[in-house]
Amino acid sequence: MKKLIVFILLAAVFSSFSPFAFADYALDKPSAGQVIFMQADNDLDYTAAFPLSALTGAFREGEDLRLEFPAARLTLEGFFTRLGEWRSLSFSDGGSLGGADFDEEGRCTKSFHAVLGREKSGSAKSTGIGAQLLTLRLSPYGTEVFVGDEVIWGELRERCIGAFAAVYPFEKPDWNSVLELRCQFLMGEDGSLEPVRFYSDFADGVSSEIINPARVCSASSLQLLPLSEGRAVVSFSNRLGERLLSADVLCRRDESSGLCVEYMCEGCGELQTGAFHYLSCGHYSCAEGFDPAGHDIAPCQVAGHCVSESEHEKCSNCQEYCCDGREHGPGFCEHVHNWVAVTLVSSRCTGCGYVYTRK
């Protein structure tokens, strides 16, 4: 019996030096401007020393887990490699994220922020959960402020409008080129509003998303306007949801003390300032041997689709453009009839020959 006790004590001592005794790693919240990549293809159990509500986004990219914060990003590389769907990350507020919380495209299906309690005046009650997410939407038809799907009124709405005016550099948008603007704010327990994302939908079909909109603004399609020194993440997409361009940008003072935007060009890989090399036709002006002649937006009028490429013509069956991501041709897409009157009560489709008779 004494030998058994001694063996158990020795095992306990040696287990304290085992690497598995320390198989838990606490993740700190990144600071503003940090873009962190961390190897996570291991047997460690990860916990976050911050609440789930601190996130502004989460994505599964293959085996990697990417967490987004206001003006920061943390990627756990290989996080899902070992346990796949069973791997999860726990947060300080009791929340968690696991493989089952992401759809087929890698987007998180879980809500990060609890809905605010509200008084009749429209002011928010403290929930004790942490930051809350509010969305301001501005269009030619007016201004709305939401928490989730519910419209907010009163003093909180007015504060959101004021916070939006502080980061938007114009008195009002040019509604000839802008369709809609949306700005998301995190409201802390003290009632402070921090702008974290800014979305712009332009009339030419381009949409932009900016993380940390206090630094730069997408004043027009595929163009950035510097606002203040610091870092931001910018991405552009077309009306089909296809990604056109993304960049980590730095807004800084140049030699003349003016603000400029720096970014790494995805086309040539060099540090650039000013206008993007990416063009609305989907090609880069910095490409070797690039000749702007013959480059323009395709007949489909979708940004990123070039007239020099095929598959952007109309389908002879449904008369929609073949580049919309769906299958086309007889038997695949819906046929649109082209009616020609035959008699006073009947018409014939010139495409398929079907005759329709009114009764």
Side-chain angles (χ1 to χ4, degrees):
M1 184 67 181
K2 291 182 179 179
K3 291 183 178 180
L4 178 61
I5 294 175
V6 171
F7 176 78
I8 293 174
L9 291 175
L10 288 174
V13 172
F14 282 108
S15 66
S16 66
F17 296 98
S18 168
F20 295 104
F22 301 93
D24 184 69
Y25 188 90
L27 298 171
D28 293 325
K29 181 181 176 182
S31 301
Q34 285 189 312
V35 179
I36 300 173
F37 294 89
M38 179 181 295
Q39 288 293 332
D41 180 9
N42 48 48
D43 294 317
L44 293 177
D45 291 327
Y46 289 87
T47 59
F50 49 83
L52 180 62
S53 59
L55 301 181
T56 58
F59 302 88
R60 179 172 180 175
E61 300 173 330
E63 299 303 315
D64 300 344
L65 174 61
R66 175 161 60 91
L67 306 178
E68 293 189 352
F69 307 80
R73 181 186 299 170
L74 169 61
T75 299
L76 299 177
E77 297 181 321
F79 181 80
F80 294 104
T81 300
R82 298 297 180 95
L83 297 176
E85 301 299 311
W86 298 98
R87 192 78 184 267
S88 65
L89 175 64
S90 300
F91 295 83
S92 62
D93 59 357
S96 65
L97 285 178
D101 295 319
F102 298 88
D103 60 20
E104 294 180 354
E105 297 181 358
R107 294 173 299 193
C108 186
T109 58
K110 178 174 287 189
S111 175
F112 306 134
H113 311 279
V115 176
L116 286 172
R118 284 170 296 277
E119 299 175 349
K120 290 183 180 180
S121 63
S123 60
K125 299 177 182 178
S126 174
T127 63
I129 297 177
Q132 308 294 330
L133 189 67
L134 296 88
T135 302
L136 179 145
R137 183 170 67 192
L138 183 65
S139 74
Y141 307 103
T143 302
E144 296 176 299
V145 178
F146 298 87
V147 172
D149 295 327
E150 189 166 350
V151 179
I152 296 296
W153 299 96
E155 183 265 343
L156 180 57
R157 177 182 185 273
E158 296 305 314
R159 288 202 295 116
C160 280
I161 293 175
F164 172 82
V167 296
Y168 191 67
F170 305 104
E171 183 177 349
K172 66 177 182 179
D174 177 9
W175 296 120
N176 292 317
S177 60
V178 178
L179 298 179
E180 184 176 286
L181 301 174
R182 298 177 303 283
C183 190
Q184 290 184 334
F185 300 92
L186 281 180
M187 187 178 75
E189 290 290 339
D190 60 353
S192 60
L193 294 173
E194 178 185 6
V196 291
R197 288 176 183 264
F198 196 102
Y199 301 89
S200 304
D201 295 334
F202 298 102
D204 62 359
V206 174
S207 296
S208 69
E209 175 186 357
I210 297 177
I211 300 174
N212 199 12
R215 303 299 174 230
V216 295
C217 176
S218 53
S220 58
S221 178
L222 297 174
Q223 298 289 330
L224 292 179
L225 179 68
L227 300 179
S228 64
E229 293 180 273
R231 295 185 179 274
V233 180
V234 181
S235 61
F236 295 92
S237 60
N238 62 24
R239 59 182 174 85
L240 298 181
E242 298 168 337
R243 173 189 169 279
L244 302 177
L245 172 72
S246 62
D248 294 329
V249 302
L250 171 64
C251 186
R252 65 169 183 83
R253 297 284 177 182
D254 58 18
E255 293 78 5
S256 60
S257 297
L259 286 173
C260 67
V261 176
E262 286 186 344
Y263 66 95
M264 196 69 69
C265 176
E266 292 185 333
C268 62
E270 297 182 359
L271 188 66
Q272 301 293 324
T273 59
F276 290 110
H277 289 168
Y278 184 87
L279 305 175
S280 58
C281 66
H283 297 98
Y284 288 87
S285 62
C286 57
E288 185 177 355
F290 177 80
D291 184 356
H295 284 266
D296 200 356
I297 296 181
C300 61
Q301 294 298 297
V302 175
H305 292 194
C306 188
V307 69
S308 65
E309 302 168 342
S310 59
E311 301 299 328
H312 299 289
E313 63 276 359
K314 280 189 175 182
C315 170
S316 59
N317 182 58
C318 68
Q319 295 300 300
E320 296 294 334
Y321 289 101
C322 296
C323 56
D324 61 3
R326 297 190 293 267
E327 290 190 89
H328 285 273
F332 294 102
C333 55
E334 182 180 355
H335 178 73
V336 178
H337 297 283
N338 185 19
W339 299 110
V340 174
V342 178
T343 67
L344 290 175
V345 294
S346 63
S347 300
R348 180 188 298 274
C349 175
T350 59
C352 65
Y354 180 81
V355 176
Y356 170 74
T357 303
R358 298 190 300 274
K359 295 182 180 181

